[in-house]
C-alpha cells in the first residue's frame, strides 16, 4: 500500500501564495507519476498539475497554467505545488494522487485525504 499525506493548505487573500506538499510512504516507487487534483463544493474534480518521475514531464490544468508550479524532490518521495496569484475560484480541497498518468483522475491508484485551500476576495 501507498500512503499520501498532504500539507500546506490554509486561508489566504486573493493574490497571495501557498505551497502544498505531499509526502508518500509505504510501498511507494519514486517512478510513479504524481499529480494534484482539486474539488470545490458542488463541482466536479479537476486536474490541477501532474509530474512524471524526475519531473521531466509536467502538465497543468488550463485554469492554473502560468500560476501554479508542480515539482518533485528526487531525494525523497515528495511532490510540491507552488500556487501563486491565487484567486477565490481556486478555493477547493486539494488532493495528491499517485500511480496514474497525465491528469486522468480515474487512472490514479492512490489518493491522499486532501488539504483545504481557501482564497478570500
Amino acid at each position: 500500500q501507498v500512503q499520501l499525506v498532504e500539507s500546506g493548505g490554509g486561508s489566504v487573500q486573493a493574490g497571495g501564495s501557498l505551497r502544498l506538499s505531499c509526502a508518500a510512504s509505504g510501498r511507494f516507487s519514486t517512478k510513479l507519476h504524481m499529480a494534484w487534483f482539486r474539488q470545490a463544493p458542488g463541482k466536479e474534480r479537476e486536474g490541477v498539475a501532474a509530474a512524471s518521475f524526475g519531473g521531466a514531464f509536467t502538465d497543468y490544468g488550463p485554469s492554473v497554467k502560468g500560476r501554479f508550479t508542480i515539482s518533485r524532490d528526487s531525494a525523497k518521495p515528495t511532490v510540491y505545488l507552488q500556487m501563486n496569484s491565487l484567486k477565490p475560484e481556486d478555493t477547493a480541497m486539494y488532493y495528491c494522487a499517485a500511480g496514474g498518468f497525465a491528469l486522468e483522475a480515474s487512472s490514479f491508484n492512490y489518493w491522499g485525504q486532501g488539504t483545504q485551500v481557501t482564497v478570500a476576495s
Side-chain angles (χ1 to χ4, degrees), residues 88-104:
E89 50 265 43
D90 293 318
T91 295
M93 184 71 79
Y94 283 70
Y95 298 93
C96 176
F101 63 91
L103 284 172
E104 295 292 332

Side-chain angles (χ1 to χ4, degrees), residues 6 17 31 34 41 49-50 53 55 77 88 113:
E6 304 96 333
S17 299
K31 294 183 179 180
M34 298 188 75
F53 168 64
Q113 294 299 307

